[in-house]
Amino acid sequence: MNRRPHRRDPEGHRQAILDAARTSFGERGFARATVREIAARAGVTHGLVLRQFGSKEQLFLAAVPGHRELDQVIAGDPETLPDRVAHAYVARMEANAAVDPLVVLLRSIASDQQAAAKLYSAMEAGSIRAYREVIDGPDAAARVAMLGAQLIGVTVNRYIARTGPLAEMPAPALAEHLARVLRHILFDRAG
Amino acid sequence: MNRRPHRRDPEGHRQAILDAARTSFGERGFARATVREIAARAGVTHGLVLRQFGSKEQLFLAAVPGHRELDQVIAGDPETLPDRVAHAYVARMEANAAVDPLVVLLRSIASDQQAAAKLYSAMEAGSIRAYREVIDGPDAAARVAMLGAQLIGVTVNRYIARTGPLAEMPAPALAEHLARVLRHILFDRAG
């Protein structure tokens, strides 16, 4: 992925920056990777990265898998939303937990709590915005935040600690369980 | 707490070890604190600490607040169990999140994933054992693990990242919300 795009090629730049960001975040973690280093790796200026992506948090969210697909997962029948979210989450994590934004976030807590907080805030704000398209009611934001908390907790259990019932059950069983829990959290009623 | 107990005073030894453990885990985190250092601080041998507590994980669980009280929270009417767990969790975290085992666990993920996994495993096994006294059914262990995941996620959100709806709501509102979610998770029915 070492292409050095021509300066008049904005889409090439964008791709080069995203490739560089994935490499840097993967190698050095969220807290230690810098926009400057990502820009250098992509062969563009620091200023161009910030103009295109706004901040390190936004660049991270644009570069990592999962977050970009959230809008697509959410679009559709609200009735089956918990199933779509649970299955998309499990599929994404089973495929590549190591570079997943939730895992990167959790790993960054110990090294730089402030960076982790900013990243969490950006992820959560994006999620709440996306869910609010289909979930309403006075405590919709709190319910979406509780859903996010459940996914964080399952991530710690199955993909980081890798121990106990949630780590041992087959992926389809986890998706079923999780869909039921997320249905309760989002709609506050039995599955 | 610098008492050096007489060698024939097992209860004094136990207290000295627990005091030393709290200090070491608080100062150095779970991964970096060692049984040897805790023993030296307590004025006892390494072997005595291991004979009394079994392992660093077990010593941690014995020394930190919260975990020891779980049996007391769980004992009682199963119908109001989710409320008791939610309120005890929120009260404990609001009082002193920094030394809470869930926070120490999450902070230890980045520095030593294997240590974090062992600690998670010990905490989860203890919790499942305690809950199994009052929760039954074929997937009781999975439901208790999902409950643990929810608490982990709320901890990340409110007490570590400290941002978003779950961090902003007053503690009593969080306890109410959480009780409803935990009721769903444990009993798989509407609150």
Side-chain angles (χ1 to χ4, degrees), chain A residues 97-174:
Chain A
V99 299
D100 195 89
L102 293 180
V103 173
V104 173
L105 165 72
L106 290 161
R107 280 196 212 289
S108 70
I109 283 173
S111 51
D112 186 342
Q113 189 168 343
Q114 228 177 354
K118 279 165 93 175
L119 179 54
Y120 194 97
S121 183
M123 284 180 57
E124 189 178 50
S127 298
I128 290 175
R129 219 170 15 243
Y131 279 99
R132 288 301 288 269
E133 300 287 320
V134 289
I135 302 291
D136 53 16
D139 58 354
R143 280 183 280 143
V144 172
M146 281 284 185
L147 175 145
Q150 185 67 39
L151 297 183
I152 290 268
V154 172
T155 302
V156 170
N157 195 318
R158 183 179 177 96
Y159 300 104
I160 295 179
R162 300 196 193 110
T163 173
L166 300 186
E168 286 154 17
M169 65 173 69
L174 175 68

Side-chain angles (χ1 to χ4, degrees), chain A residues 107 110 113 120 150 184 188, chain B residues 107 110 113 150 157 184 188:
Chain A
R107 280 196 212 289
Q113 189 168 343
Y120 194 97
Q150 185 67 39
H184 288 316
D188 206 2
Chain B
R107 282 196 211 288
Q113 189 167 345
Q150 184 68 38
N157 194 317
H184 287 315
D188 206 1

Side-chain angles (χ1 to χ4, degrees), chain B:
Chain B
M1 294 288 175
N2 258 334
R3 56 181 153 158
R4 288 280 177 278
H6 188 274
R7 60 187 292 270
R8 297 269 175 75
D9 173 15
E11 188 45 42
H13 281 157
R14 192 181 159 80
Q15 266 313 314
I17 294 167
L18 289 173
D19 289 342
R22 270 187 286 272
T23 306
S24 287
F25 288 130
E27 280 176 10
R28 293 164 53 74
F30 177 75
R32 280 192 300 274
T34 66
V35 170
R36 204 163 291 282
E37 151 205 327
I38 291 166
R41 201 189 279 265
V44 303
T45 64
H46 179 245
L48 177 65
V49 175
L50 291 182
R51 274 198 305 282
Q52 287 229 341
F53 293 95
S55 66
K56 185 166 88 163
E57 289 76 27
Q58 293 303 324
L59 174 56
F60 177 81
L61 294 178
V64 295
H67 201 79
R68 284 166 297 164
E69 289 77 29
L70 187 59
D71 285 338
Q72 294 163 37
V73 172
I74 288 177
D77 183 5
E79 189 54 42
T80 55
L81 176 62
D83 308 273
R84 292 199 303 280
V85 171
H87 284 88
Y89 163 81
V90 171
R92 190 181 98 197
M93 296 300 284
E94 295 292 317
N96 203 349
V99 299
D100 195 89
L102 293 180
V103 173
V104 174
L105 165 72
L106 290 161
R107 282 196 211 288
S108 70
I109 284 173
S111 51
D112 187 341
Q113 189 167 345
Q114 226 177 356
K118 279 167 92 176
L119 180 53
Y120 195 98
S121 182
M123 283 180 57
E124 188 178 49
S127 298
I128 290 175
R129 218 170 16 245
Y131 279 98
R132 288 301 288 269
E133 298 287 321
V134 288
I135 303 290
D136 53 15
D139 59 354
R143 281 182 281 141
V144 173
M146 281 284 185
L147 175 145
Q150 184 68 38
L151 296 183
I152 290 269
V154 172
T155 302
V156 171
N157 194 317
R158 182 177 178 97
Y159 300 103
I160 295 179
R162 300 195 193 112
T163 174
L166 300 185
E168 286 154 16
M169 65 173 69
L174 175 69
E176 286 308 309
H177 250 283
L178 193 54
R180 220 154 58 221
V181 169
L182 299 186
R183 178 175 307 278
H184 287 315
I185 291 174
L186 283 180
F187 301 128
D188 206 1
R189 61 174 195 256

Side-chain angles (χ1 to χ4, degrees), chain A residues 1-81:
Chain A
M1 295 286 178
N2 259 334
R3 56 180 153 152
R4 287 282 179 276
H6 189 273
R7 59 188 293 270
R8 297 268 175 77
D9 173 13
E11 189 44 42
H13 281 156
R14 194 182 157 79
Q15 266 314 314
I17 294 167
L18 290 173
D19 289 343
R22 269 187 286 272
T23 306
S24 286
F25 288 130
E27 281 176 11
R28 293 163 54 73
F30 177 75
R32 280 192 301 272
T34 66
V35 170
R36 204 163 291 282
E37 150 205 327
I38 291 167
R41 200 188 280 266
V44 303
T45 65
H46 180 245
L48 178 66
V49 175
L50 290 183
R51 274 197 305 282
Q52 286 229 341
F53 293 95
S55 67
K56 186 166 88 164
E57 290 77 26
Q58 294 302 325
L59 174 57
F60 177 80
L61 294 177
V64 295
H67 201 79
R68 284 167 298 164
E69 289 77 28
L70 187 59
D71 285 338
Q72 295 163 36
V73 172
I74 287 176
D77 183 4
E79 190 52 42
T80 55
L81 176 63

